[in-house]
Amino acid sequence: MGPGRMEPMELVQISPFRTAPAPKPDWLKARAPVGENFHDLKRLARSLGLHTVCESAHCPNIGECWHHKTATFMMLGNLCTRRCGFCAVPKGRPEPIDFDEPRRVAEAVAALGLEHAVITSVNRDDDLIGGARAFAMVIEEIRRQASQCRVEVLIPDFQGHEEAIRIVVDAGPEVLNHNIESVPRLYRVVRSGARYERSLELLRYSKELRPAGLTKSGVMVGLGEETQELLQVFRDLAAAGCDILTIGQYLRPSRDHLPMTRLYTPREFAEFKTEALKLGFRHVESGPLVRSSYHAHEQAASVQAAPAVSKSRRSGREESS
């Protein structure tokens, strides 16, 4: 090529249109929230000044659960003191704890005629003992106003504060749930302010305080974990005495949250369930749309009807030997 002449440039065609996002697979499509029960429950929550995690966390199962008059009530306000990378619940400085809220939650449970109520809360690192007292109060209020109802509490880690944990356990919920959420390697970005070992110890300590009570935990997949890391989490939970395990697909609530790195298939969720049951869990709920409270009433009923397994098997020693 002679002097002054330029090499030809490769032309790149730029499309003026945005590429349409890939459609969701059928197993990720949930029914839209419609129907009389949905609107009745929404009106009841509003009239009593209550929040539901179904709405605050953008749960994909809200249509199905609310259609069957099942909801997870969220106490201690609607602002969380932590900033977990996966969670859609609003963050900020919360108001003082409303200790009349447990009575109103119980009133809603009674009005709906629930047989299994799930109660959770935002993190209240500003008042650990107050938060624990509110959980104990709602258990007692539900016992008083709706004695036929089983109570499941999905609690924060209370920063590992043993007195706070004991306050909740001593109130005697049928199920004590605390979600481990992810694998230890990802905790810094997934569960800001939490500690993997601290969450495991909460479940172990709760079982020690009340061996007859059911404990439960949940894991999200699709955040960058490896299969062997997940299986180790299952083993750790089994060794901590956890009775019920839920496994579900992480779905990004917005562009401000952690990206989803992988979409697991229903077959893979079935394989997770098989592996977890080998470790001695008394019930495993595993599927793309599974969330901690999904089919909670069926989980508790099935576990209460099933025999407990030996401690040696739950530790996972048989699988690792």
Side-chain angles (χ1 to χ4, degrees):
M1 181 176 294
R5 295 184 63 184
M6 297 180 62
E7 295 184 4
M9 296 179 62
E10 180 182 355
L11 298 179
V12 178
Q13 180 67 40
I14 300 177
S15 172
F17 304 104
R18 290 184 178 180
T19 303
K24 284 184 179 180
D26 289 341
W27 68 79
L28 274 181
K29 294 178 181 178
R31 193 173 75 174
V34 295
E36 185 176 344
N37 287 349
F38 173 83
H39 295 293
D40 286 348
L41 200 156
K42 192 167 187 173
R43 281 193 293 269
L44 178 62
R46 297 295 178 275
S47 68
L48 293 172
L50 302 175
H51 302 286
T52 68
V53 75
C54 319
E55 295 175 288
S56 297
H58 303 172
C59 181
N61 302 311
I62 188 171
E64 177 183 353
C65 293
W66 283 28
H67 176 71
H68 294 291
K69 288 191 174 181
T70 300
T72 299
F73 293 99
M74 187 169 71
M75 299 199 313
L76 308 183
N78 195 37
L79 292 174
C80 188
T81 56
R82 297 188 189 174
R83 297 183 177 275
C84 297
F86 68 92
C87 184
V89 173
K91 284 73 174 171
R93 178 176 295 178
E95 297 291 327
I97 292 176
D98 176 5
F99 287 104
D100 184 58
E101 188 177 42
R103 179 194 61 79
R104 302 197 306 276
V105 169
E107 184 178 335
V109 168
L112 290 168
L114 299 183
E115 294 182 357
H116 187 101
V118 182
I119 315 298
T120 189
S121 78
V122 295
N123 278 284
R124 290 298 302 257
D125 292 327
D126 59 316
D127 189 353
L128 301 175
I129 298 299
R133 283 181 52 216
F135 270 105
M137 291 169 67
V138 77
I139 295 167
E140 293 164 1
E141 281 289 336
I142 293 174
R143 297 271 188 270
R144 186 176 66 82
Q145 297 192 43
S147 59
Q148 83 291 345
C149 184
R150 290 190 300 261
V151 183
E152 176 176 330
V153 291
L154 172 54
I155 62 173
D157 65 13
F158 296 117
Q159 295 183 5
H161 197 297
E162 288 192 353
E163 182 183 352
I165 298 168
R166 182 184 288 274
I167 288 171
V168 179
V169 173
D170 285 351
E174 274 75 18
V175 181
L176 187 138
N177 187 354
H178 174 69
N179 286 336
I180 204 84
E181 303 291 14
S182 190
V183 301
R185 178 174 57 84
L186 299 177
Y187 251 54
R188 185 179 295 274
V189 292
V190 174
R191 293 193 68 195
S192 174
R195 300 291 183 272
Y196 181 77
E197 292 297 336
R198 189 164 70 194
S199 287
L200 279 179
E201 176 59 21
L202 182 153
L203 291 163
R204 188 206 62 76
Y205 183 57
S206 298
K207 198 70 173 178
E208 176 186 303
L209 291 174
R210 190 164 175 256
L214 298 176
T215 53
K216 174 178 172 182
S217 193
V219 179
M220 298 177 296
V221 297
L223 284 160
E225 68 289 329
E226 299 292 337
T227 299
Q228 288 306 313
E229 290 180 303
L230 277 175
L231 295 179
Q232 185 58 53
V233 171
F234 299 169
R235 287 190 285 268
D236 290 344
L237 289 170
C242 188
D243 297 293
I244 302 171
L245 174 65
T246 61
I247 310 165
Q249 174 71 50
Y250 168 67
L251 298 174
R252 192 181 193 183
S254 76
R255 295 180 65 87
D256 295 328
H257 294 84
L258 292 174
M260 179 178 66
T261 63
R262 180 180 174 186
L263 193 60
Y264 289 79
T265 66
R267 179 177 178 177
E268 289 174 302
F269 280 104
E271 291 170 352
F272 286 146
K273 179 174 182 176
T274 298
E275 292 302 313
L277 287 172
K278 290 178 183 177
L279 298 172
F281 289 99
R282 298 171 68 182
H283 185 96
V284 177
E285 194 85 25
S286 180
L289 290 177
V290 166
R291 296 297 179 267
S292 185
S293 302
Y294 189 54
H295 293 169
H297 60 298
E298 297 175 7
Q299 297 167 17
S302 70
V303 170
Q304 289 172 341
V309 296
S310 68
K311 184 176 180 181
S312 63
R313 186 183 176 198
R314 293 179 63 79
S315 70
R317 291 171 191 158
E318 290 181 0
E319 273 60 48
S320 60
S321 61

